Each structure stands twice: as structure tokens, then as C-alpha cells.
Amino acid sequence: MARTRDRRTFLRDVGITGGAGALFATMGALGLAPTARAEEYRPPRGGDLSTTGRRAAKVVVIGGGIAGLTTAYELGKAGYDCTVLEARARTGGRNFTVRAGDRTTDLYGHTQTARFADGQYLNAGPARIPQWMVTLDYCRELGVPIEVFTNVNADAYLYNESAGMTAPVRHRTAKADVYGYVSELLAKATDQGALDEQLTSTDRERLVEFLKDWGELGDRLTYDGGERRGYATVPAAAGTPGVPLGNVPSASEVFASGVGRYFSFEFGFDQAMLMFQPVGGMDRIPLALTRAVGAHRVRTGAVVSRITDTGRGVTVTYTQAGRTKAVDADYAVAALPPNILAKVPHNLGSGVQSALEAITPSSAAKIGLEYRSRWWELDHRIYGGITETDQDVVHIWHPSYGFGGERGVLVGYYNYGANADAYARLRPEERERRAVAAGVKIYGEKYRSELVSSFSHHWRQTPHLEAAWHSTPGGPDDVRYKPLNEPTGRVWFAGDWLSYTDAWQHGAFTSARRAVTSLHARVLAS
Amino acid sequence: MARTRDRRTFLRDVGITGGAGALFATMGALGLAPTARAEEYRPPRGGDLSTTGRRAAKVVVIGGGIAGLTTAYELGKAGYDCTVLEARARTGGRNFTVRAGDRTTDLYGHTQTARFADGQYLNAGPARIPQWMVTLDYCRELGVPIEVFTNVNADAYLYNESAGMTAPVRHRTAKADVYGYVSELLAKATDQGALDEQLTSTDRERLVEFLKDWGELGDRLTYDGGERRGYATVPAAAGTPGVPLGNVPSASEVFASGVGRYFSFEFGFDQAMLMFQPVGGMDRIPLALTRAVGAHRVRTGAVVSRITDTGRGVTVTYTQAGRTKAVDADYAVAALPPNILAKVPHNLGSGVQSALEAITPSSAAKIGLEYRSRWWELDHRIYGGITETDQDVVHIWHPSYGFGGERGVLVGYYNYGANADAYARLRPEERERRAVAAGVKIYGEKYRSELVSSFSHHWRQTPHLEAAWHSTPGGPDDVRYKPLNEPTGRVWFAGDWLSYTDAWQHGAFTSARRAVTSLHARVLAS
């Protein structure tokens, strides 16, 4: 989900790409530093304050999402006295796992109560973790078990109705065809001398040798299908060699189908398999963080109404259960979404306010469809993974847990922007009906007939958050955000929206670490 | 592992490929039958014998591997009185999960006792299950929970020492470079008119549009690296945009490195992700089958010494704990490896004997290396997956379970043929030393210093099995194997070696089903 444009613009502007190359010049041509690391981080430690004779400063953390909880957790390691104010009834922010009994009311007034069976859940917010993100380090540190998130599956489907497809095609079939023809065309071009200027004869031999294997080309360097496409009847015992899928489309048909557009997803630095998820739901992370911070330090249902830097401290006023209250602290960390924070009165200056207003919220949504059987496993032999479509549901996720069990929750849509907003305007039962109609085109009638219940969640319409993620023009280090990236008086800011991995918990974790490091340094220097 | 040559030869010979195409002619150009199915199978049922007034025939099953256990399990559904004779101390055959305390002695006399910590294991035999195989149906039917087997990981390594690589490269980096240059070369060739005869102008536009996205090409249709390659320092909070891996190699360097040879593995019909494994070890399957058959029906340590078809029944003589015993039954199913069966005296005819002798055994081996820490996760950020090498260890597997835990078992070699036999001749501690030396080249010193214990297993040198899998010249339906594919008197044959998926449990399951169906039909017709 993270947008890479800002990051790359930054790199080009400051010339870091070239500099990095020099770092690796002594390694093999294809070598790499064995460990791609996050920036170095040293958490504050118990002795930092006590051995220097400092008292434990009091910190108010506004927002109990990942950034806020992490701030309190990390500061707590050195003994800071933290109080977390969270507007919603639960911590975790956009890290929200929906289970039976969970009840929501969106900004349109649509109320839903989840009716999933025991053990079934929907990760309405973040749902996947790449290996390189610090999120996995927190899972380890907090004792949260993880398992594979099935981000890509050769047996899941692709469906482009607008290209004339009347039935879905499996990822594996589409990939065999696209790669087969790419291979054939490049082998032919090479053979005909089209690359003689770019490549030596040795290069060309190696290239064609690669293409024959990679594209499953026949002796005449042509693509004629093959078992990678899949079988209509699978190979089994003697007497059953298997019946391969027939009707290999032409190169022209393959490129016209547009299936190739879905392949680059799996190469993404933040999306390539293997991906992971906590066992039992993504909210195992905020639950563990909240436990580590101490539930007594977290006030839920606390809606912040004013932030005042007094010069000698920070006073945060909030309402809870209809009553106005206040917290006085030495410092504050504002870890709530910028679009919400921008609506809170404060005396932090116009630079802060205009920076917050420059960052704009984005829409995204999911619907969980619970089925009484795992017909996608039984009938379609699809165990996990994502079906990609050109429908307004966009992505359909097969569950990454409970394989071979009785029930399961599909994500019937994971969509963004106008698609998400269009569904948001519908009543929940209409969202379900529309999502199911799209799924039936791809999977058939069981997509409707086996359905038990559904629960949909739209982030732009979620009170106290009102965004799935944010757009930060120019990137988080643009000069206009300087008042947010440096402490403003006694107030720090943290959140994935102040990172190069917005929409990922990694951004929230590392942004919180940055605020914690800066705040702790200030305290130690004071 | 399954060889596809025989299957494809068969298809070409009988022209099935063309026929299958016709079946799909009415579907969309890219459509497919929604469900690739195994052949239809109807298990014998309880009423089949009783409602037709037949007594429950007695069947002796020789071999307690997957084929033998499945035979007894399926026949048991209709009330057959089955006895399973298994030469080894445990059922499962080549499905062997090594845990603490497991002790083996190979044909060279090397004895080992596994010293893995609780919860740690090595699947010495089958370890992965594709979604389409009936193995998953048996997991479901028998209540064996499954999880993802991490067959491919963008963050695992490739290492070709012979191509001059002095450090490993991650799958993701190699793939970005290979696909980037393939894309650039094909885009240029297209641009220069080399494909004008094969493709229309619309085709060419679509192709180039695909290539730009798929190969991450820049505006001038050149490949200049990009974030798919990975980062030296990963993107994080504001101030940390990330430092991309530098030193993008030239096309010539990339093709000379030979890394592209590893990519087609992940397209294989039997290897493409997602793949699965039983939670807790592959032997959960034979354990569940044995329980379902009834432990009282299974005699372990029973080495068959003669098979006699008496015309009115079958007598199988065996030795157990030094004593000679016999089982008299109405029918027999021989479900032991052909190379072992060929050494057992019988009166089933020379056709059976020469068929058995035409099938030859193959070598394969694994070593499990238990480490006191999961340094590959902590230092290399590799959670699961396979590192591919040109070393004699060939494949190195990261464990697919216990992520984020304290310890873990790597597969330090999974190799075949001459490599496996060379390691087999070494004493177990020498095998460990040699495997570790190869790993150190790729992962550094922790590959040695964190090691706790190891356990190696070589199938060709395993008593009563003496093969990892088999070569069946001409394929299982070749006329010379007719005496094995049809019942010979009162004896049937079953095993993965009589299937188109040899070396896979799916072959054993479906071959057993075939024998069961045939035997049951005979009984019902008699």
C-alpha cells in the first residue's frame, strides 16, 4: 500500500542512490550487504534517568494506535510516567480485528455488529507484514506468534471482465502464458540478430538458454503451453496421466487480456512473499503493547479537545463519558491522524497547523464475508491468496488461517478511493449484496448460497480516524513538515504518516521510535 | 521432484492434449474449468458388502507407508478385515519426521540419535503439499491441521560460486535484475521493429506497456535498478528514506551469474506457492491414518519373506523379532518399494518380476541442523524459504514453523544422486562438517557457531526402503508394467512409483485408491 513515489523523488533529489552504490563497490558484482537493516535504534533504558539523577518525566501520549502505544512502551522502558489518551473504545487505531460481537457505527450512521463464528475474524486494517519491517521485531519482543500471510497464490484467480474474460484464469495459467510469449518473442528477436549491438554472442547464448527454461519453450523456441498452465484433470495413479488445460491463447489474446498487469505486485519491496501475520488476528500486537504499557495508563473513550503548551509543560484537555478532564504533563507526543489533529484547538503555531492541513486523508475499505463452508478450498482448490479483479471490489482475499476447517472469512472487497467511498454510502446489507454479485461472476453461486454473515469497514467514515492512510505531498521530509518532524516546544508528533512507509505499522513504529529518541535526548540534556 | 517427462511423453503419444483443448472450446479464450480435479473416486462404503450378503474379505497389506495405510484405511470403510505388515519400527514409510530420541542405523552401519529440542523436527522425507493434491483432502478428512510450507521466499538467497559470486544475492534482487533486463531487451527489440511481423501495432503497444511495469523500466525503456532489488537501509520514519542496494550489475553480468536458472522452479505445477505442510510434522498424516486403520491391525518390525498366491487366497510369510510367521488372506496388496519387493520370493510370475526390476531406485538426502538461535531471522531477515546454491548441499531450507521462536532446524542439504551418495559415505559428523562449511560461505560464521546438533538421513541407504523415489522408464502405463497395474491373481500393487506423481504422497494415495477400487469391484463381482 505504501506509495513509493515520494521516497524515490527524495532519493533522486538528494542523490543518495549514487552514494549507496559506492558503499557496495567492494562486494561481488551481485553481492549485497547480508542484512538490510532498519535504522539503528537504541531504546531508552532503565538506568538512563536514575543514574543521572533525573526524575521520571511525565508524558501524555495523544492517540492509542500503534505509534502512541509504541511511544508509551518505549518511554516506559526508561521509567517515564506515560498516560495514553485514546478516543475510541479500544486501542490499536487502524489496527482493528473484527470478531463476533464487535459493534461499529460509521459517520453515515450505519451500525453493524459482527456475527462471525468463534475463531473467525477480519483484519479490517493492516493485515500483512513483510520480513524486513520492524513490526516482526515487535512481535518477537512482545511474544506475539506469527504465521504466513498468503499474499500471492498461483492457484488464485485473475478476472478482467472489461477485457472480455468470461471466466477467471488462475495466476499460474496467466503467468505461464505471459512469460511463455515474452520468452518466445525475446528468443526470436535475439535469434534474428536484433540484439547483436547490445549483447555479445556469449551473452546471447546465455540469454536464450535462460529463456528456454524460464518460458518453457519448445525446441523451435516457441511457446506452446505446458504443464505450468495447470490441468483439467490432475495427474495421479497409473492410468491417469492428467489432462492439461487446453486452448492455449495466442500472444495477441494474452496481451489483450491485461492479466500481466497483476504480476509486478509480487515484486514489490513491501509486498513480495513471504509475508506474515500474527496468529489469531493483527490486534494481537496492540493488545500486547497495551499490556506492556499497562492498562492503567491508557484512557479509552478520551476525545482530545485542546492541546496547550504552557512553556513549562503541556496540558491536554479531553472529554470522556460527557465530562471534560485534563492531563498535565512535562511533554506530549501527538500520535493521532493529522486530519483529526488538525481539528483540535492548540497553541502550537500556524506552522504546525498548515503542515497538518497539507496532509490529506485517503479512503480504503474491506468487507468480511463469512461462509459456512470453505468451498474455495473444496471446489476450487484455492488455499489462501488473493484474487485480482477489474471489478469495484478490486481485491478478494482468501483467508490465511483455518485451512481445512469448517468455516472461513473471505475479504470480499479490499478497495480504495472512489470505490471505497461508493460502497461506504450504501447500507451494510447493500454493500454485501453488491460485493457478492461481483464474486458470483468469478466463483459461481456458492459465493452467495454459502454466505452466513458479513461485516464491512470503511476507514474514511470511521469516527476519530477518518482515513485509511494519508497523502503527504513532497514526502515526509518536505520542508513544510519541519514543524512536525522537530519538536514544537514540548510537543512531538508521531505516526505512519510521518514516515516513508505510510499505511504500514512499520512507519508508526519507527516514527514513534524517532519521537522517543528525540524526547529522551532532550530530557537527558536538560 | 516428480519427473514430468514420462507424463508428457504419454500425452503426446495418445494425443490427449489436443482432445482436451476441444473440451474447453466453449469457454472464454482465457477461461478454464474452475476446478482442476483428481480423478473421480468413490470410497467403498459400509453397506457395499453387507447389503449384498457378502462376508468381509480378509486382505493382507504388505508395507505400512502411505500407499499401504491408505489401502487398509479405504478398504476398512467397507468393513474389510485388513492386516498391515510393516518392516520398520514405525509406519509412514518414507514419510518420516525426525524428533528428539529418534534413532536410525543406515546400511553403512552409521547410527544416529536425534537430539533436537522439544517441538523441533526434520521432515526427512516428503515435506510439502501443493493445493491440488489429494494429500490435502486426507489431511481434512483425518483432522490433520495444515499451515503454509515456505517453498519460495524473495528474501532467501541464491549463491553460484562457480559463476564468481563472492556473496549471496537475494531472490528479489536477482529477479529484479533478470526481469529488468529481459524487459529492457524485449522493449528495445519491439521498438526497433524486430517483432513487426509477429505482432500488430496494438499488440506491440500492449506488450511495451506491460514490460514497462513488469520490468520497472524508466522512461527511456531502460532498466536502472529500483526498489524491488531491496535496500541496504530500509525506509522508515521521516529522515530515513532508505538506502537502496547499489551497484546494479550489467545485463552481461546478470546473465553470466546464472541466477535465472532458479526462477522456473516456482512455476512448476507441483512446486508453485502456495504449498502446505501438516502442523507439527509430516508424520501427522501416517499417524492419523494408522489410528484410523486401528493400531491392532498393523504389525511393525514384520519383514516379508515370501508371497504365495494359492489360487484360493494369498499367504504372506514374514519374520518378526527373529520368528517366522504367516498371514493367510483372501487378497493381498503389495505396497512396498519395487526395489525391495523384487528381492522377496513369490509365485506371481516372471512378468511381475521383470516389471519390478525395470524400475530403479534413486538417492536423496537431508540433514537437519539445529541452531540455538534463529540468526537467519534476526541477522538476515529471512523467515522461511529456500536458498538455492551450486554447492553439493544444493538446497538449504529455512524452517516453515516456529517463526520468531528461540531455536530452529535448517535443512542444511537437500540433495540427490551423486551428491547424496557422496554424503552418505561420510560419517554423520563429517556430513555435518561438510554441510556447515558450505553454509558458512553463504551465511557467515553463525552457521557454525550457533549450531547445536544435526541429524542426517539418506534414503538410498535406509533399510527396508533403499530409495528416495524411483525411475519408471516409459512411465507407469508402459506395457511392461501391465502385470503391476492389473491384479496378478489375488495380488494388487500400489505405490507412488505406480503413478504420474512419483515421490509425492499424492501418487501413493491415488495408487492405493486405484487398487482399492479394483479389489472392491472384484469382490462385489465374485
Side-chain angles (χ1 to χ4, degrees), chain A residues 2-17 474-476 500, chain B residues 212-213 215-219 222-229 231 235 241-242 244:
Chain A
R3 258 58 35 72
T4 64
R5 191 174 50 255
D6 297 341
R7 187 152 73 235
R8 302 183 73 182
T9 304
F10 180 95
L11 292 170
R12 195 160 56 235
D13 290 350
V14 300
I16 282 181
T17 312
Y500 286 91
Chain B
K212 283 171 73 170
D213 168 59
E216 207 175 10
L217 301 185
D219 296 336
T222 56
Y223 173 69
D224 307 303
E227 72 161 17
R228 292 177 191 169
R229 304 186 79 239
Y231 283 81

Side-chain angles (χ1 to χ4, degrees), chain B residues 160-173:
Chain B
N160 282 344
E161 188 182 43
S162 59
M165 287 172 65
T166 57
V169 62
R170 291 187 195 269
H171 279 244
R172 72 160 83 235
T173 314

